[in-house]
Amino acid sequence: MSFSDTELAVVRTAAEREGMASAAWAGRQVMAVAQHVLVPVSRDAGDVLRELVQARVHLRETVAALRSLTVTGPSGAGLPESAATVVEETLKAVARLDAATVAVMRERRPRS
C-alpha cells in the first residue's frame, strides 16, 4: 500500500491512538474491509474525509508554528498568556477534527 503524506499522517494518528504500529493498524483495517466488518465510505463521505484530513494537517502545522513561538518568542521570553490560550484552543480544534475524521471513516452502509 502507498499513502500520500496527508493520508499517512491520518494512519499514524489512528495507529498511535490504538497503540499499534502503522502497518499493523492499516493491515487490520484492510482485513476488516475484506471481511465486510468495515465498509469503505461513500464517494461524498470520502470528499468530506479528505477535507477533514487537510484541515487537520493544517491545524497541526499551525500548532507546531505556535509552539515554536512560545519557546523562542521574538524576545526569547515566549508568548503571552493569550497566545497560550490560542494554542490550547487550536489543540481542541485538532481533537474535534480527529473525532470527526474517525466518525466519517467508520461510516457504514445499511446491512440488509
Side-chain angles (χ1 to χ4, degrees):
M1 286 185 275
S2 64
F3 299 101
S4 70
D5 290 342
T6 301
E7 292 165 336
L8 186 56
V10 171
V11 169
R12 285 183 176 149
T13 298
E16 287 172 13
R17 183 178 50 249
E18 296 187 31
M20 299 176 72
S22 298
W25 184 88
R28 185 178 73 181
Q29 300 309 310
V30 168
M31 288 305 298
V33 170
Q35 296 169 345
H36 301 286
V37 174
L38 178 67
V39 178
V41 297
S42 66
R43 175 166 286 167
D44 290 340
D47 291 343
V48 171
L49 179 60
R50 278 186 286 284
E51 190 172 326
L52 286 170
V53 168
Q54 289 172 353
R56 196 183 145 280
V57 169
H58 179 71
L59 271 174
R60 287 206 179 270
E61 290 169 351
T62 302
V63 168
L66 285 169
R67 280 187 172 151
S68 72
L69 289 176
T70 62
V71 172
T72 59
S75 64
L79 290 178
E81 184 63 32
S82 60
T85 301
V86 170
V87 170
E88 290 308 312
E89 289 302 314
T90 304
L91 288 172
K92 289 176 187 174
V94 169
R96 288 191 304 272
L97 272 174
D98 284 345
T101 303
V102 169
V104 171
M105 291 172 72
R106 290 187 175 161
E107 174 194 73
R108 297 178 187 273
R109 292 184 199 145
R111 308 247 189 239
S112 51

